[in-house]
Amino acid sequence: MINLQVFELVCFYAFAVITVGAALAVITLRNTVHAVLALVLTFFSTACIWMLAEAEFLAIALIVVYVGAVMVLFLFVVMMLDIDQEKLREGFVKFLPVGLIVAVVMLVEMLALIGVRAMHAQAMGVNPATAAGQSNTAWLGTALYTNYLLPFEIAALILTVGVVVAVALTLRQRHSAKYQMASEQVSVNPRDRIRIVKMDAVRPVEPVVAAAPEQESKP
Amino acid sequence: MPTFNDILVLLPEFYLVAAACLLLLLDAFMKPEQRGVLHWISIAVLLVAIYLVIAGQPPETVTAFGGMFVRDRAAEILKVFSLLSVVLVFIYSRPYLVDRKLFQGEFYTVMIFAVIGVMLLVSAGNLVMIYLGLELLTLSSYGLVALNRDSPLSSEAAMKYFVLGALSSGMLLYGMSMVYGAAGTLDLAALHGATAHAGMPHLMLFGLIFMLVGIAFKLGAAPFHMWIPDVYQGASTPVTTFIASASKLAAFGMAYRLLEGGMADLAHYWQPMLAVIAVLSMAIGNLVAIVQTNLKRMLAYSTISHMGYLIIGLVNAGPEGYSAAMFYAISYALMATAAFGVILALARAGFECEEIDDFKGLNQRSPWMAFLMMLAMFSLAGVPPLYGFFAKYLVLQAAIDAHMLWLAIVGVVFAIIGLYYYLRVVKMMYFDKAEEGVLTKLQPDATLRVVLSLNALVLVALGIYWGPLLGWCKQAFVG
């Protein structure tokens, strides 16, 4: 049986080394796609370290939000900005090794993590969440909405300012542009748009017997 | 648990948030030709906020939200003056914005959000609050700089400001995390006691250095001053006025909270570091300002040197020093609004009036504006009996009290060097002939002229009768 604390320490150092190495790769790699992939690895390893520190919610949020959403967006942007068409086409094979390495390292990290979690190691001191008899997420939520309520609200305010400024900077009202006015569309009177014409269902066909042969004989 | 009393302590801030959101809605539902009213509503909103800050002033220091927010005399004074300077910015900038078709509701709401950031920052009782207040202020400032989006200079300035600002925020945050790691608390009051006997003193110092970088960047002190000239020049003049006034008051508040509130026990470490920053700022600011031809850029370098003087007050690390530094910050805010106010009053559509040559012969065109500008320049230079002189005098006095005579001497030497470029502007206004083709008409806005005159004359009044204001500043730190 391995000493639990030693194993946890080894895991921590391994994750830390990978985090720092990947972060270095982000700023040193010339290929932007590689750099983004390295950034993914940085986030993932950081999440693993947080998991070791029993901050499950933060770790999962980091993976779901950053790795899952933001980084994929990054990758799209980087790939879209890449003007070199040839590079793009050969991308899959070229990026495959790096992608594979990132994936393998992540897998190993996850396995190690599951191992540590399964053995319920307690090397990081008393976790306030455990001490309170709550899950990490519940404890975090309680702290966020009681002791840290004011900072939480101000963070919301900062996001509001971000949205306001983003709209102010990008919205250009062009007078030549055509807009749909939903309110006008809804409140339109059908009579203004469609003219209903009364006409007989059956109309006697006028005899055209006299004209037909004349047309046919022309060519 | 937060209670209703906590909310009452934050009444001015909450009121401003609600008012800013309402203004945003009002702006969205208003017809473009009615939007002029927003200007007056915004000013009224800020004046009410000033009233709330003064009227709701508690007799002694009060904290709210478990120590997150501190409402004390120092915060009140800084809040009143930063709100006041935003009112001045609004009054001065209206004709400028209308002339350039930049008049839009967002200018007002975003600036109110920025001043909310100032208020939260100067009242912060926790490292998290310092960071969030700072972010609210700087994010709004980036937006305000970029708001003049058709100008390439503005976009460039906003980009530089954003990148460097993000870097400095990162440094500050890094320092905070180190301090948290060493002391185990984010609360400034708790840090105050924990710094001296923290488990890891080296980690603490490491964090302190990074936090100092953040403070120096926010103040715009050398060697973290690179953004100041470009942002001052690139931003539209109203935004520059804001960054030079309310933003500097906020930076002083942040420095006070972090250094005195949290790190007072480590003063013997940060005093020499700040002294070096002060000397560098005074040297770089005053020497580089001499060769500038653009007035806004010159005033930017002058800001850097003034921040050097402000830091001398902080180096004292005692109540006398803090009150001198606060007095200095207020004086700088008032002088900067006056100087930029004159630029705004002279600017017309298509004519920024920001080159120093544009001021040639101003006395013949408009003697009153030339006189106001002269007051602002003399006050910035520190010529007695104007406000700027006494602010400088008190700061240098504080350096001597802290047994740093050499720092005071350096300060005096650079103040004399600095005289040159302020006097050059005055000389051009009074003794040079105006160039051909310079527009001679002034902004017709009567409110602007009256308020600007008051602003500049206050510099004289406070220079002669500075007792009460200094008394308030002292009260904030002694009592």
Side-chain angles (χ1 to χ4, degrees), chain A residues 33-45:
Chain A
V33 177
H34 289 178
V36 172
L37 286 173
L39 195 54
V40 170
L41 185 58
T42 316
F43 282 139
F44 193 84
S45 305

Side-chain angles (χ1 to χ4, degrees), chain B residues 177-189:
Chain B
S177 66
M178 291 297 150
V179 168
Y180 178 63
T185 177
L186 288 169
D187 191 62
L188 285 172

Side-chain angles (χ1 to χ4, degrees), chain B residues 43-63:
Chain B
I43 291 173
V45 158
L46 288 175
L47 289 176
V48 171
I50 294 177
Y51 170 76
L52 284 179
V53 171
I54 295 174
Q57 185 183 335
E60 54 207 15
T61 304
V62 180
T63 60

Side-chain angles (χ1 to χ4, degrees), chain A residues 32-110:
Chain A
T32 38
V33 177
H34 289 178
V36 172
L37 286 173
L39 195 54
V40 170
L41 185 58
T42 316
F43 282 139
F44 193 84
S45 305
T46 313
C48 288
I49 294 176
W50 286 356
M51 197 74 107
L52 273 183
E54 301 195 350
E56 290 94 355
F57 179 77
L58 286 180
I60 289 168
L62 185 71
I63 290 181
V64 170
V65 177
Y66 276 88
V67 179
V70 176
M71 291 323 294
V72 171
L73 204 68
F74 253 55
L75 214 54
F76 279 143
V77 171
V78 165
M79 287 185 162
M80 274 185 193
L81 287 180
D82 202 347
I83 314 150
D84 199 341
Q85 287 294 325
E86 267 201 335
K87 250 189 184 171
L88 263 184
R89 238 169 269 147
E90 68 188 42
F92 184 71
V93 186
K94 214 173 149 190
F95 302 142
L96 193 61
V98 184
L100 272 181
I101 293 170
V102 169
V104 168
V105 174
M106 280 184 181
L107 190 70
V108 173
E109 283 186 346
M110 257 199 292

Side-chain angles (χ1 to χ4, degrees), chain B residues 199-242:
Chain B
M200 287 176 269
H202 294 296
L203 199 58
M204 200 71 157
L205 280 181
F206 191 71
L208 171 68
I209 292 169
F210 277 93
M211 293 208 307
L212 276 183
V213 172
I215 293 171
F217 180 90
K218 194 64 215 137
L219 280 168
F224 308 101
H225 63 284
M226 301 302 180
W227 60 281
I228 292 246
D230 288 327
V231 171
Y232 271 48
Q233 191 186 1
S236 56
T237 316
V239 179
T240 313
T241 317
F242 172 78

Side-chain angles (χ1 to χ4, degrees), chain B residues 65-331:
Chain B
F65 288 94
M68 288 280 168
F69 187 89
V70 182
R71 190 165 181 183
D72 58 6
R73 188 60 69 85
E76 307 282 277
I77 295 175
L78 287 173
K79 279 177 201 175
V80 167
F81 278 98
S82 44
L83 285 166
L84 197 65
S85 59
V86 175
V87 171
L88 293 178
V89 170
F90 281 172
I91 292 173
Y92 296 163
S93 54
R94 182 190 167 123
Y96 181 97
L97 295 173
V98 172
D99 277 351
R100 284 163 187 72
K101 303 203 169 28
L102 289 172
F103 187 88
Q104 47 183 346
E106 283 85 1
F107 174 80
Y108 291 93
T109 38
V110 174
M111 204 163 280
I112 290 176
F113 276 122
V115 82
I116 295 168
V118 174
M119 293 169 81
L120 292 167
L121 183 57
V122 299
S123 274
N126 193 300
L127 291 178
V128 176
M129 288 297 295
I130 294 235
Y131 179 70
L132 287 172
L134 181 67
E135 280 304 291
L136 185 55
L137 166 62
T138 47
L139 195 73
S140 314
S141 307
Y142 306 146
L144 285 169
V145 173
L147 218 49
N148 185 8
R149 56 190 179 184
D150 292 325
S151 148
L153 216 56
S154 278
S155 309
E156 187 194 327
M159 206 61 211
K160 277 183 184 162
Y161 192 16
F162 177 69
V163 172
L164 289 176
L167 186 71
S168 85
S169 288
M171 296 251 196
L172 184 72
L173 212 52
Y174 192 59
M176 284 176 176
S177 66
M178 291 297 150
V179 168
Y180 178 63
T185 177
L186 288 169
D187 191 62
L188 285 172
L191 264 179
H192 192 93
T195 40
H197 29 80
M200 287 176 269
H202 294 296
L203 199 58
M204 200 71 157
L205 280 181
F206 191 71
L208 171 68
I209 292 169
F210 277 93
M211 293 208 307
L212 276 183
V213 172
I215 293 171
F217 180 90
K218 194 64 215 137
L219 280 168
F224 308 101
H225 63 284
M226 301 302 180
W227 60 281
I228 292 246
D230 288 327
V231 171
Y232 271 48
Q233 191 186 1
S236 56
T237 316
V239 179
T240 313
T241 317
F242 172 78
I243 293 174
S245 55
S247 198
K248 294 291 172 258
L249 289 168
F252 165 74
M254 176 176 124
Y256 168 68
R257 291 283 171 218
L258 277 177
L259 297 177
E260 167 61 21
M263 296 279 157
D265 295 334
L266 299 176
H268 53 288
Y269 285 109
W270 53 255
Q271 275 172 320
M273 295 187 224
L274 280 184
V276 171
I277 293 178
V279 171
L280 278 177
S281 307
M282 289 186 295
I284 293 177
N286 279 322
L287 294 178
V288 183
I290 291 174
V291 295
Q292 300 305 320
T293 55
N294 182 300
L295 186 61
K296 274 163 86 179
R297 220 173 161 81
M298 188 201 94
L299 285 172
Y301 282 103
S302 128
T303 302
I304 297 169
S305 76
H306 280 283
M307 290 307 118
Y309 288 100
L310 194 154
I311 289 172
I312 293 181
L314 292 174
V315 169
N316 178 287
E320 293 288 323
Y322 293 128
S323 53
M326 186 193 254
F327 193 68
Y328 202 94
I330 294 169
S331 82

